[in-house]
Amino acid sequence: MIRFSAIGLAALIAAAPLSQAVAQDRGPRGERQQQDERPQRDERPRVSVGEAVQRASSGRPGRFLGASDRGGTIVVRWEYPGGRIADIMVDGRTGRVIGER
């Protein structure tokens, strides 16, 4: 009987550091805190308006008229020689030119 008590006491002593570690993972009301391991996604464009203008204007003759950020797309207004005006759409995340109208 004394052996069983000694084994039980040894088991409790061995488990004490483990129970303290579990208690530290819990919040003030004993709720387990969730750790979000996924990186936070920033919904704002990753490409600045200046970078978008540079990418839209590379290789195009003409002049820059203006730019606006429309959510995930940056629209660059461009005037070609001869007076034609176009809106060049640049993806706000990748910086890729996705279209022109």
Side-chain angles (χ1 to χ4, degrees):
M1 187 71 161
I2 294 177
R3 278 188 199 174
F4 292 123
S5 298
I7 292 173
L9 182 60
L12 286 174
I13 291 171
L18 179 63
S19 63
Q20 288 176 355
V22 170
Q24 290 174 356
D25 287 344
R26 296 184 185 270
R29 294 176 20 191
E31 299 167 352
R32 185 169 281 277
Q33 296 174 351
Q34 298 271 337
Q35 292 181 355
D36 190 11
E37 299 197 11
R38 291 175 285 151
Q40 294 283 336
R41 288 201 172 176
D42 195 9
E43 295 301 324
R44 293 175 294 164
R46 295 183 186 163
V47 176
S48 70
V49 174
E51 289 175 298
V53 170
Q54 286 179 343
R55 292 182 185 203
S57 66
S58 70
R60 285 186 169 81
R63 68 184 183 115
F64 168 72
L65 296 177
S68 63
D69 182 6
R70 296 185 184 165
T73 304
I74 298 171
V75 178
V76 178
R77 180 141 300 175
W78 193 259
E79 181 181 9
Y80 286 101
R84 183 173 73 92
I85 296 175
D87 287 335
I88 303 166
M89 281 80 66
V90 178
D91 187 291
R93 293 193 148 193
T94 64
R96 236 179 70 206
V97 175
I98 55 177
E100 180 178 330
R101 57 182 156 117

